[in-house]
Amino acid sequence: LYRHNYMIGVDERLRFVGVDEGEQAIRALIARHPELRGSENEAQMDAVYRAEALRVIASNLGEYLEIFAYRFLPLWFNVGIMEAGGATTGPLEILMMLQQLAILLLAVRGLRGVWPRVWPMAAALIVVSLSYMAVNGQMRFIIPMMPLAVSLAAATLLRLAQKLAPAPLSNSASP
């Protein structure tokens, strides 16, 4: 929570925080807390990180909401993840982003007319997405939900195929 929200209050906050940057932020946080002796366990350190993150978020709620909304991009499309690791987004990653976009658009379209039957699937996608967007958006976290998105997208494609399919021939003209 701290690693992905420490940058609230700086100009370039709409980005994914990579491992190296996150580690530097955590070291700086620890240096600001002289009461930490280095013998704290994981739960104690988590309490320190969480308290600091919630303080930063509460003091800049509007900026946090901007970051929250931005995290949709890394969560569903991995935007900025490669760059945070020191690499560049290549053609394969762009193709993957386009595939994700197609699945997402088809899934949203798949809700039309069937919402009463599929709302649990849509609700699961929304709740999981919002939960990750609150803390850290990265496409690998949405992978367990992709069968739901693909199912909704497939329903859209099936309805489209049924509309485009030629009408069946009648047997009344048989010889």
Side-chain angles (χ1 to χ4, degrees):
L1 188 61
Y2 179 74
R3 171 185 163 187
H4 292 283
N5 290 292
Y6 88 93
M7 75 289 210
I8 292 174
V10 301
D11 289 338
E12 294 183 32
R13 62 186 165 276
L14 298 181
R15 60 182 163 41
F16 181 81
V17 177
V19 175
D20 293 339
E21 180 185 355
E23 188 175 313
Q24 290 173 3
I26 288 171
R27 285 185 183 154
L29 170 66
I30 291 170
R32 290 193 309 266
H33 285 269
E35 74 277 7
L36 297 175
R37 300 174 308 278
S39 60
E40 291 78 15
N41 62 34
E42 188 174 337
Q44 292 167 321
M45 288 308 298
D46 183 60
V48 171
Y49 300 145
R50 188 177 335 104
E52 186 68 18
L54 293 175
R55 183 192 65 73
V56 169
I57 290 168
S59 66
N60 298 288
L61 190 55
E63 291 181 10
Y64 170 73
L65 292 175
E66 287 177 17
I67 293 170
F68 173 87
Y70 168 79
R71 286 188 184 132
F72 179 82
L73 296 174
L75 180 64
W76 279 92
F77 307 106
N78 244 22
V79 169
I81 304 297
M82 298 294 290
E83 290 76 8
T88 58
T89 299
L92 186 59
E93 289 82 18
I94 292 170
L95 183 62
M96 180 186 61
M97 290 175 189
L98 292 172
Q99 175 187 328
Q100 285 292 103
L101 179 63
I103 291 170
L104 189 58
L105 291 174
L106 288 168
V108 169
R109 178 66 174 92
L111 296 173
R112 185 173 175 203
V114 295
W115 177 258
R117 292 189 310 244
V118 300
W119 72 265
M121 290 171 62
L125 282 167
I126 292 167
V127 167
V128 168
S129 293
L130 293 176
S131 298
Y132 279 113
M133 288 164 57
V135 180
N136 174 16
Q138 221 178 128
M139 194 168 70
R140 65 186 173 124
F141 298 137
I142 204 71
I143 289 172
M145 302 306 295
M146 287 310 294
L148 298 178
V150 169
S151 296
L152 290 169
T156 300
L157 293 174
L158 180 61
R159 286 196 304 268
L160 180 63
Q162 289 169 342
K163 283 182 182 180
L164 297 176
L169 297 174
S170 68
N171 289 336
S172 61
S174 54

